Amino acid sequence: MKVEIQQRIALSTYFFLSGFCFSTWASRIPTIKMAFELNEAELGNLLMVMPISSLIGLPVSGWLVSRFESRYPLMVSYIFLAISLVLIGLAHKLVLLIAGIFFFAFSMRIFNIAINTQSITLQKSFKRKIIGSFHGLWSSGGLLGVALSTLLVKLEVPIYKHLPAVAIFTLLLAFAAFSFLLKKDRSSQGNKLRLGKPDKPTMYLGFIVFLAAITEGGMFDWSGVYFKEVVKEDVFTLGYLIFMVFMALSRFFSDRIVEKIGMKKNYLISASLVCLGVLLMVVFPYFWPAIIGFCLVGIGVASVIPMTFLLAGTSKKYSPGMAISIISTYAIVGMLLGPPLVGYLAHIFNLKISFILFFTSALMLIPISRLFFKYKEANIQE
């Protein structure tokens, strides 16, 4: 087997495990909400720990990308991610839960930078685009994670058994794949992190992933609560499961679709599908309209972040690792800021109305993506 194929399989394993762990956490949020007797605003406050932790991890992740080969921070951060998942599962006091969530987000921050840096570098060894398939595997891992969570919730398996078991199992697989990861990918140029305003293309791409991540993060954390409290469905993980299925399927086809219609049109179509899906589930908060709405949102949001990461990797100013670090800052903040914002809006109004946040975010994707391509086309002509 070619070395590049082995590296792709190993990296695919980490994308899959990352999605599996994240969806395991997200699908158990309603359990945590009930266990600690939190209202929507209190849950929003709890989830706000994640973007704060992610921002604290910004200088750390940037330094690690510039100092080491990406496989080392990738593996170390995954170890801490697994430990934090155990802590969340075993937490019986709020302070322990907060600590677990803090380190979970901090570790995920570093892990995401390392894994996406590897994917951008490995892409250069393949003629066809492979970025979408990696993110498709992340979604597939998420799909399996939420499917397992659905089964365990149905069987009334407690969270203190569920989360530690997932952490131990995925950690064993991570260790097995480590030796096959891409090596010697540290860039010698473009590694300096500038805390000021980035160049215009990077800033536009950052805003794009920020808006997409608000929707993606919000759907991850609130879809189960929405199905339980608005749709009145007992199997509350069903909405999240449907969302993950269609996002995963769409990501596996996203590379081919982008090659056929182009990135500019794909942003427009993606944003339109999210808007339509959100409107459907909000205006008709019943089982089948909500299911269809979740499907459309999953399809619409699927390709935006992988496509934007690929564009970031072509930056002339930054190395792939640093470009991904900068763009991921916007993405992670959006993904982790979306859930608490939904919580605050739900507390002020109601949960159904709070989902309009996703509609607004998707709508804003259209003008900002147009600004990016307009700037890019103007510079090509020059």
Side-chain angles (χ1 to χ4, degrees):
M1 186 182 294
K2 290 184 178 181
V3 174
E4 292 83 2
I5 301 299
Q6 291 179 337
Q7 292 168 341
R8 183 177 180 181
I9 293 172
L11 189 58
S12 297
T13 301
Y14 278 93
F15 269 97
F16 183 88
L17 293 179
S18 175
F20 187 80
C21 286
F22 189 85
S23 69
T24 297
W25 138 256
S27 61
R28 279 295 195 167
I29 288 175
T31 305
I32 293 171
K33 183 175 183 288
M34 288 186 290
F36 286 87
E37 298 180 347
L38 304 174
N39 61 36
E40 282 77 5
E42 289 169 338
L43 180 58
N45 287 333
L46 181 65
L47 296 176
M48 184 62 80
V49 172
M50 299 186 79
I52 293 172
S53 173
S54 182
L55 284 174
I56 293 171
L58 169 61
V60 178
S61 60
W63 179 79
L64 289 172
V65 164
S66 63
R67 183 70 177 83
F68 302 101
E69 296 176 22
S70 61
R71 63 194 180 114
Y72 294 120
L74 191 158
M75 188 66 235
V76 173
S77 63
Y78 196 84
I79 292 171
F80 281 99
L81 189 152
I83 293 172
S84 62
L85 200 60
V86 173
L87 183 57
I88 292 172
L90 298 179
H92 59 280
K93 293 183 178 180
L94 191 59
V95 65
L96 294 177
L97 178 63
I98 292 171
I101 293 172
F102 179 91
F103 286 110
F104 182 80
F106 187 87
S107 303
M108 185 68 76
R109 161 71 192 185
I110 297 171
F111 181 82
N112 282 337
I113 301 303
I115 200 172
N116 282 292
T117 299
Q118 281 249 332
S119 70
I120 294 296
T121 306
L122 188 58
Q123 171 67 78
K124 297 174 183 177
S125 301
F126 292 83
K127 293 182 180 179
R128 297 190 65 177
K129 288 184 174 63
I130 60 174
I131 301 297
S133 66
F134 284 131
H135 289 266
L137 284 165
W138 189 95
S139 298
S140 298
L143 175 60
L144 182 61
V146 74
L148 178 63
S149 295
T150 301
L151 175 62
L152 295 182
V153 167
K154 192 83 171 176
L155 296 175
E156 298 183 354
V157 174
I159 192 172
Y160 66 82
K161 291 183 179 180
H162 178 194
L163 267 58
V166 167
I168 294 169
F169 176 71
T170 59
L171 196 56
L172 291 174
L173 291 177
F175 276 120
F178 176 73
S179 61
F180 299 100
L181 288 171
L182 183 68
K183 302 175 179 65
K184 298 179 181 179
D185 63 337
R186 179 176 175 266
S187 178
S188 59
Q189 296 179 339
N191 284 322
K192 186 176 180 181
L193 178 63
R194 297 174 175 86
L195 295 178
K197 187 174 78 171
D199 59 347
K200 279 190 175 182
T202 304
M203 184 175 65
Y204 290 144
L205 292 176
F207 282 131
I208 288 171
V209 295
F210 172 76
L211 292 168
I214 284 178
T215 299
E216 195 168 322
M219 291 293 289
F220 286 152
D221 289 5
W222 283 98
S223 57
V225 181
Y226 190 89
F227 248 66
K228 182 182 177 77
E229 299 184 3
V230 178
V231 184
K232 308 296 183 183
E233 177 63 33
D234 291 335
V235 185
F236 55 80
T237 54
L238 184 60
Y240 184 42
L241 180 63
I242 292 295
F243 170 72
M244 291 297 296
V245 165
F246 281 85
M247 186 168 71
L249 289 174
S250 183
R251 279 181 167 169
F252 282 115
F253 293 101
S254 64
D255 289 331
R256 294 181 182 179
I257 294 172
V258 168
E259 287 178 356
K260 286 187 176 182
I261 68 175
M263 291 187 175
K264 190 174 182 179
K265 287 183 180 179
N266 195 65
Y267 276 121
L268 176 62
I269 294 171
S270 296
S272 300
L273 286 173
V274 173
C275 289
L276 181 59
V278 173
L279 282 179
L280 191 59
M281 71 176 76
V282 169
V283 176
F284 303 102
Y286 311 108
F287 182 80
W288 285 112
I291 288 289
I292 296 171
F294 275 53
C295 292
L296 293 175
V297 174
I299 295 170
V301 80
S303 64
V304 177
I305 291 179
M307 184 166 54
T308 309
F309 277 2
L310 183 59
L311 288 172
T314 63
S315 172
K316 296 179 180 178
K317 183 176 180 180
Y318 302 105
S319 68
M322 190 53 64
I324 292 298
S325 179
I326 295 169
I327 295 298
S328 293
T329 302
Y330 291 86
I332 294 173
V333 171
M335 185 169 288
L336 301 178
L337 192 61
L341 284 176
V342 171
Y344 298 144
L345 290 172
H347 186 69
I348 297 171
F349 303 103
N350 59 58
L351 186 57
K352 184 175 69 172
I353 297 299
S354 70
F355 268 47
I356 295 296
L357 174 67
F358 305 147
F359 175 87
T360 306
S361 298
L363 196 62
M364 289 299 297
L365 281 174
I366 298 173
I368 295 176
S369 63
R370 288 177 66 87
L371 283 173
F372 170 79
F373 287 107
K374 185 177 179 181
Y375 181 89
K376 185 178 179 181
E377 291 165 3
N379 279 270
I380 292 174
Q381 292 175 358
E382 291 175 4

